[in-house]
Amino acid sequence: MRNFTNRYDDYLEGSEVSVDQEKWKACIEQLVKGIERGMPPTPNNCDGGLYVGNAGVAYMFYYLSNCELFAHRRDDFLEQGMMYGKAAMDYVERRGDPPCSFILGSAGTIAVNSLLYHIAGNESRSRKIAEKFASLADCARPIAFYRYGSDELLIGRAGYLSGVLALYQKLGYKVVSEDVIRQLCTVTVESGRHYSYSHKPKSPKGVQSPLMYAYHGTEYLGAAHGLSGILQMLLSFPEFYLCEDNKPAVDDVHKAVDFILSLEQSNHNYAPAMDEVGNPRPEGEDLVHWCHGAPGVVYLFARAYKVWGDEKYLHACARCAELTWEKGLLKKGPGICHGVAGSGYVFLLLYRLTGDKKYLYWALKFAEFMFTEEFKKRARVPDTPYSLYEGWAGTVLFFVDLLQPDQAEFPLFNVVF
């Protein structure tokens, strides 16, 4: 079994949900101290970019310093964030990934440093760094700039677009021009069309998606490497999906979203890749993670609902959440990529979508579970236990967002509301 049994009583309709602010703030403070001790801002901890490196911890400190709940610690958190950001920036040129790689490469580290200087009030420095981020768009323009796959979220074009979106939302201006955004979205669609036409992947019912992508030779479907994460980014930019000249491309995106929806399994999960569609894993072995499965695909359906207003996408979100409540107490650890906090973020997303307190209750229970003896004794320790995506740094942000659920956002993968 990949998950612990969820033994919590379900939400009682109409009951209040109380999140103890002082308790969780103290918990967050304690975890932050542990992260500072366990993963200091040194060159040895910089490999892995935002995903598992110091850049991700820098983002945690940025988020904390920008949160009103921790206004009294703003200067301390900002100072720490600057230290982690500098260490990551000094290291960034040594990576072998494409420069426009966001989660795992240079672009993400550059973006976080721009955000840190923005919060610090050094707007000229922030803008100069943001201009460097914008210049990396040239790397993402070729249809195939990375031989293992140029479109997915961790290294590819979708990741760069997620950085564009994050900077726009947090800086308040467009770092990358609308023309460049349209170009990147258009080449992403062209890439998906070319692959789909040449490989013709089909569902068990013989339906072919007009868009498909491969990473390291695998046709992934999930958020981290696959079709759903790419489509979510394409639907995050009105300058692309509202442009009349792009209507055929947007129609293909719409069909591809519905293609993913058609792949829903009987337990409401989604296969990690096309080679497992129609051949689900044994009970207890299916992947119910943000990176692979319903807890990541749910963000695409949430965005599709916001764009098109079709209730079928909202219903799909609810089914993803039900599965996550059942199987989301993951044994892999606390993290947001394939851990309990990543599952908890599903409920905060549904709370924002619906206002239903059931989802806030579910998120609270998943947060509490990470401090039970069962979790402490039986959960695996990740390779990078303090990092943003695998470890406690991302979990800290989940706890912060539990205190401000109306503003909750999965780190650097926000659904535009």
Side-chain angles (χ1 to χ4, degrees):
M1 291 284 288
R2 295 178 180 270
N3 60 283
F4 296 98
T5 300
N6 186 346
R7 298 186 178 88
Y8 288 110
D9 293 333
D10 206 343
Y11 174 71
L12 183 62
E13 192 66 34
S15 60
E16 288 300 315
V17 180
S18 177
V19 180
D20 188 329
Q21 295 263 328
E22 295 308 312
K23 167 190 167 182
W24 288 104
K25 285 169 69 175
C27 170
I28 289 164
E29 294 268 13
Q30 192 65 32
L31 287 172
V32 167
K33 290 178 183 177
I35 292 166
E36 291 173 346
R37 290 193 301 269
M39 191 176 174
T42 63
N44 290 340
N45 292 321
C46 286
D47 194 21
L50 289 167
Y51 191 77
V52 292
N54 273 339
V57 179
Y59 181 77
M60 178 197 75
F61 279 115
Y62 158 78
Y63 201 77
L64 285 166
S65 66
N66 197 35
C67 177
E68 286 299 319
L69 295 169
F70 293 92
H72 63 293
R73 292 293 313 279
R74 178 184 179 278
D75 292 345
D76 295 337
F77 286 149
L78 185 56
E79 181 181 357
Q80 287 295 320
M82 286 291 195
M83 291 172 58
Y84 279 88
K86 183 181 185 304
M89 200 73 157
D90 290 344
Y91 178 87
V92 81
E93 303 301 335
R94 307 178 197 176
R95 291 279 305 174
D97 297 322
C100 60
S101 167
F102 186 67
I103 303 297
L104 284 175
S106 302
T109 298
I110 292 167
V112 169
N113 275 273
S114 178
L115 294 175
L116 285 164
Y117 278 101
H118 173 69
I119 290 295
N122 191 339
E123 201 59 36
S124 62
R125 180 65 175 153
S126 173
R127 283 182 177 268
K128 187 174 181 179
I129 297 172
E131 288 169 5
K132 184 173 184 179
F133 174 91
S135 72
L136 300 178
D138 288 339
C139 164
R141 291 175 193 264
I143 196 166
F145 62 81
Y146 188 55
R147 63 176 177 163
Y148 299 115
S150 300
D151 299 286
E152 55 84 72
L153 194 75
L154 267 65
I155 286 181
R157 213 165 0 245
Y160 183 77
L161 286 169
S162 75
V164 171
L165 183 66
L167 287 175
Y168 174 49
Q169 291 178 323
K170 299 178 186 306
L171 296 180
Y173 67 92
K174 292 186 177 179
V175 170
V176 176
S177 71
E178 290 187 4
D179 284 345
V180 172
I181 290 170
R182 279 196 297 269
Q183 291 168 17
L184 294 180
C185 290
T186 299
V187 76
T188 302
V189 171
E190 285 301 311
S191 176
R193 283 171 171 167
H194 290 171
Y195 185 92
S196 182
Y197 179 79
S198 59
H199 292 78
K200 296 180 172 54
K202 295 180 180 179
S203 72
K205 296 181 180 179
V207 178
Q208 182 181 348
S209 171
L211 305 177
M212 186 56 69
Y213 306 85
Y215 182 66
H216 282 270
T218 298
E219 295 163 355
Y220 288 108
L221 296 169
H225 295 304
L227 182 59
S228 68
I230 296 167
L231 295 176
Q232 180 186 332
M233 286 304 114
L234 291 173
L235 287 177
S236 295
F237 295 94
E239 49 267 72
F240 169 70
Y241 67 78
L242 291 181
C243 178
E244 277 301 313
D245 292 343
N246 292 333
K247 190 174 185 307
V250 177
D251 287 345
D252 282 350
V253 170
H254 203 156
K255 291 173 184 175
V257 173
D258 286 344
F259 174 80
I260 291 183
L261 185 57
S262 76
L263 301 180
E264 182 177 349
Q265 298 172 173
S266 59
N267 68 348
H268 309 312
N269 200 22
Y270 292 82
M274 284 300 297
D275 58 4
E276 294 189 36
V277 170
N279 184 31
R281 298 185 180 204
E283 179 67 22
E285 292 302 315
D286 47 339
L287 302 182
V288 185
H289 306 159
W290 170 79
C291 48
H292 301 294
V297 175
V298 67
Y299 293 89
L300 169 63
F301 295 146
R303 184 61 194 146
Y305 174 66
K306 299 303 292 185
V307 170
W308 294 311
D310 193 325
E311 292 281 329
K312 70 181 180 182
Y313 301 120
L314 183 60
H315 296 324
C317 288
R319 294 193 297 273
C320 289
E322 291 282 351
L323 172 68
T324 306
W325 171 248
E326 179 187 350
K327 293 189 174 183
L329 293 176
L330 301 171
K331 292 182 177 180
K332 277 195 168 185
I336 61 174
C337 183
H338 38 258
V340 178
S343 300
Y345 260 120
V346 174
F347 308 139
L348 295 182
L349 172 69
L350 266 291
Y351 179 73
R352 286 187 69 197
L353 274 176
T354 68
D356 189 334
K357 291 181 180 178
K358 170 179 73 174
Y359 296 117
L360 184 58
Y361 170 85
W362 286 1
L364 178 61
K365 292 304 164 188
F366 272 41
E368 291 173 350
F369 182 76
M370 285 182 271
F371 296 95
T372 64
E373 287 303 311
E374 182 179 19
F375 182 81
K376 291 176 182 177
K377 291 179 179 178
R378 295 180 54 204
R380 301 173 197 167
V381 177
D383 293 336
T384 50
Y386 304 104
S387 64
L388 182 64
Y389 277 77
E390 282 192 352
W392 286 103
T395 309
V396 162
L397 300 191
F398 168 58
F399 294 156
V400 171
D401 283 343
L402 184 65
L403 299 178
Q404 52 177 23
D406 292 332
Q407 304 173 52
E409 56 177 76
F410 188 100
L412 303 165
F413 195 63
N414 192 22
V415 173
V416 181
F417 275 70

